[in-house]
Amino acid sequence: MMLTVTLNAALDLTYRVPALTPHTTHRVTEVIERPGGKGVNVARVLAALGHEVTVTGFAGGGTGRVLRERLADEPRVTVAFAPVAGATRRTVAVADAATGDTTQLNEPGPTVTPAEWAAFLDTYEALVHRPGTTAVALCGSLPPGVPVGAYALLVRAARAAHVPVLLDTSGEPLRRAVAARPDIIKPNAEELAELTGFHEPVRATRDARRRGAHAVVASLGADGLFALTPDGGWQARPPAPVRGNPTGAGDSAVAGLLSGLAEGLPWPDRLARAVALSAATVAAPAAGEFDRTTYEDLLTRVAVTGRRAAA
Ligand code: TA6
C-alpha cells in the first residue's frame, strides 16, 4: 500500500477553447472535472497501474465532498482525508486547441487552523506506521495556515517510521524539507534552480544532494528526467515530444518513480517508466490519467543514458 499526501487537494476543471485570446469571451467546447491536486493525481496513476494506494491531506466543503465521493469510486484507492472547515479549492486548466498550450489557474485553497493541522498530523502518523505502507509521496503546494516547515515534519515522521519518502514541492517548503533528508525529490528545472542557484542540471542536482536529498530527479520537460542518485547518474529521454495537455505530466513521473521504488526496480527502469508515464499523460485529456497505448509503446523506446556509481 502506498500513501500520497495532498495538503492542498483540488477539484480540477479543464476547459478546452478553440483559441485563447485576451479581451474576448470564449465558448468552452469541452469541460472535464476530475479529483486533483498533485498527490491525488499520483494516486490515480498508481491505481491505474494496479497498486493499492491511500490518499490523505485535507478535504472540506462541497468540493471536498465531491472529491471524496469521486475518489471512493476509484478501484484500489482508499480515501483518508482529514477534515477542514473551509472548502477544497478548484483549479482551472484552459487548453487552447489552436496552439496546444495550457494556462493553469490555481485557487489558494482553504485556510487550515492549528487544530485541523494537529488532527491531520495524527492521521498521517497512523498511516505511515500502518503495517504494509511501502512508500509515501508528499506533493504540491501548502494551503494557507499550514506551517512552511510542514513537509520537513512529514519527511522526518516517514523516516522515523522507516518508510521511503518522495517529495514534490517548491520554494521554502522544499528548501526546509530537503534538509530533513527525503529519499527522493522531483523538482522541475525552475524549482531546482530556485533551490540551488544553479541552472545546469549536473551542478544543481549535486547541490540538492549536498543539501540533504538522497536522490534528485529533475524534470526537464521535453528532455525527460535527469537523476543523480546514490547508485549513479542517468538521463532518460522520450523518443520524440508528445503533443497534448502537459498538466499532471510531473505527477505521473512521480507515480512512475514511486511504483519503481516500491517494486525495487533499478534506477534506469524507474526512470524509463516515469518518462513513459509522463509522456502518456500529455497524450491523455486530463491530469491523473495516461494513454495506455502510448505508455506501453514508449516504455520500450525511452533512451536511458548514464552510469552506475563506482562501488
Ligand atoms: O500537476 C497538475 C496539478 O496537479 C493539477 O491537477 C492541480 O491540481 C495543481 O497541479 C495543483 O498544484 P499546486 O502546486 O497548486 O498544489
Side-chain angles (χ1 to χ4, degrees), residues 8 10 12 36-38 41 89 91 104 106 139-141 247-249 251 287:
N8 210 355
D12 280 353
K38 294 192 188 305
N41 294 334
R89 65 180 171 156
T91 76
Q104 184 83 24
N106 293 0
C139 306
S141 61
T247 314
D251 305 336

Side-chain angles (χ1 to χ4, degrees), residues 2 66 75 77 95 135 242 252 258 263:
M2 280 176 261
V66 175
V77 175
V242 174
S252 294
L258 200 70
E263 291 170 31

Side-chain angles (χ1 to χ4, degrees), residues 52-99:
E52 293 290 331
V53 55
T54 297
V55 289
T56 189
F58 290 104
T63 36
R65 194 171 53 247
V66 175
L67 188 74
R68 287 173 191 271
E69 286 169 3
R70 294 273 191 86
L71 286 170
D73 284 345
E74 302 229 358
R76 293 179 285 280
V77 175
T78 302
V79 181
F81 285 113
V84 60
T88 290
R89 65 180 171 156
R90 287 150 306 182
T91 76
V92 181
V94 184
D96 180 334
T99 60

Side-chain angles (χ1 to χ4, degrees), residues 259-275:
S259 61
L261 169 76
E263 291 170 31
L265 292 185
W267 269 103
D269 295 351
R270 291 187 205 179
L271 295 167
R273 181 184 287 184
V275 167

